[in-house]
Amino acid sequence: MATGLKSKLYKGTGKSLADAVFTEEDRIANLTSIGDQKATVDEIETTDLDCVDGYKTFEAGMSDNGSIAISGNITANNYAKLKALGVRNEDGSYPLTPFAIYHPAVSDINGKFMAWLADVGRGELTPGGLVTFSATLRISGKIEDFTGVSE
């Protein structure tokens, strides 16, 4: 899990990773957590009737990069950015949007990817007046290297 002041999540502009642009203005601020991301691979059973040893056989199928849960403290700016991503396109689909995770001290976790907002919600209201949110980004496709924002 990437946490701390140096971990950053950006919501970029563009219709694909090839034309995605990320600037400091695209940063989703006030995050308290960027959750785990776990890739999985489908399995395809290849056992056939000629199997004589009694063991099933498998091949690796398609990869799935999963989802990333994020949480943070609500500000007018970051919550509005996230809620806007939950608005459906005219055809009823959710918009795929470029995102990037950046942590300068741990380059292995830096990556950019296309995702849609699978859910967003307001968290508990606290006596101190702090309002939190949680959201899930559903990754679509490959995660590519990300070296930082555009100047």
Side-chain angles (χ1 to χ4, degrees):
M1 181 181 328
T3 61
L5 297 175
K6 297 183 186 253
S7 299
K8 297 179 181 181
L9 176 71
Y10 297 91
K11 182 204 80 62
T13 57
K15 299 285 184 192
S16 70
L17 283 181
D19 66 358
V21 175
F22 301 94
T23 66
E24 196 56 37
E25 290 178 359
D26 297 322
R27 185 169 63 90
I28 298 175
N30 304 98
L31 291 180
T32 57
S33 176
I34 301 172
D36 299 337
Q37 180 270 322
K38 180 180 172 185
T40 59
V41 177
D42 292 337
E43 63 180 44
I44 302 168
E45 184 177 350
T46 58
T47 310
D48 59 32
L49 296 175
D50 292 329
C51 174
V52 292
D53 59 4
Y55 290 92
K56 291 182 177 184
T57 56
F58 298 89
E59 289 182 1
M62 303 290 287
S63 295
D64 179 351
N65 275 314
S67 299
I68 296 177
I70 60 172
S71 58
N73 299 319
I74 289 180
T75 65
N77 188 29
N78 66 5
Y79 198 61
K81 276 184 192 178
L82 288 170
K83 282 192 73 157
L85 293 174
V87 176
R88 290 178 184 249
N89 294 324
E90 287 181 16
D91 66 0
S93 65
Y94 287 96
L96 275 176
T97 304
F99 286 91
I101 293 175
Y102 183 71
H103 192 295
V106 189
S107 62
D108 287 350
I109 67 170
N110 297 339
K112 61 183 179 178
F113 51 89
M114 297 300 288
W116 75 85
L117 188 68
D119 64 61
V120 63
R122 177 192 51 78
E124 67 178 311
L125 302 174
T126 64
L130 183 65
V131 181
T132 61
F133 76 89
S134 62
T136 304
L137 304 174
R138 180 61 169 106
I139 299 171
S140 176
K142 183 177 172 182
I143 298 176
E144 297 183 7
D145 290 338
F146 179 68
T147 56
V149 297
S150 304
E151 296 297 322

